Amino acid sequence: MAARSRPAYWRSSLLLEFGRRVRELRKCQGLSQEELGHLAGRHWTFVSQAERGERNVTIITLRALAVALEVDPGVLVTRDEKTVRAAVETATRRPKTRTRTKGRVRSAAHHGLA
């Protein structure tokens, strides 16, 4: 059986950096990949692949991840580390607005609180 070839963008530096930001923001908010996937409407394996730079996400997915992480979409793609640091600090200090119910995470907006 022939080995599958990887797409040209496979683990590019831009995708790796994007993935590190997603992972850092997800972890500082105490979310699992499954929880982030649920909030963004994606499967947890997609989140895992994106964090490893193995997925070239669409603009729609970029926005969905940003909304789920409660950050501006630009934070996930900027090269300005000050902007990223500020977003991480804000996310770390932000009061938890999500509730867990039987393994599912629901945002405050889901409950009509936002």
Side-chain angles (χ1 to χ4, degrees):
M1 180 190 301
R4 248 171 62 178
S5 64
R6 302 287 187 200
Y9 62 79
W10 178 259
R11 296 180 58 86
S12 75
S13 61
L14 182 63
L15 292 178
L16 290 169
E17 190 170 328
F18 170 82
R20 280 192 295 270
R21 290 197 181 134
V22 170
R23 178 179 289 126
E24 183 175 17
L25 287 162
R26 174 182 62 79
K27 285 186 171 186
C28 79
Q29 292 185 26
L31 294 171
S32 67
Q33 289 177 337
E34 183 177 12
E35 291 166 336
L36 176 57
H38 175 73
L39 289 169
R42 302 296 182 272
H43 196 270
W44 72 268
T45 56
F46 182 92
V47 173
S48 174
Q49 291 167 341
E51 287 183 354
R52 293 191 317 265
E54 297 172 1
R55 281 291 185 129
N56 190 9
V57 301
T58 65
I59 293 171
I60 293 169
T61 300
L62 171 72
R63 184 176 185 283
L65 289 169
V67 167
L69 291 167
E70 299 177 348
V71 297
D72 185 271
V75 169
L76 299 176
V77 294
T78 187
R79 292 183 179 231
D80 180 17
E81 285 301 315
K82 285 173 132 178
T83 301
V84 175
R85 291 296 118 227
V88 168
E89 288 174 18
T90 300
T92 303
R93 289 191 314 261
R94 183 181 297 126
K96 302 301 179 203
T97 59
R98 298 178 172 118
T99 59
R100 287 169 166 59
T101 57
K102 293 189 179 184
R104 296 268 183 175
V105 176
R106 302 209 171 173
S107 66
H110 175 82
H111 295 290
L113 302 173

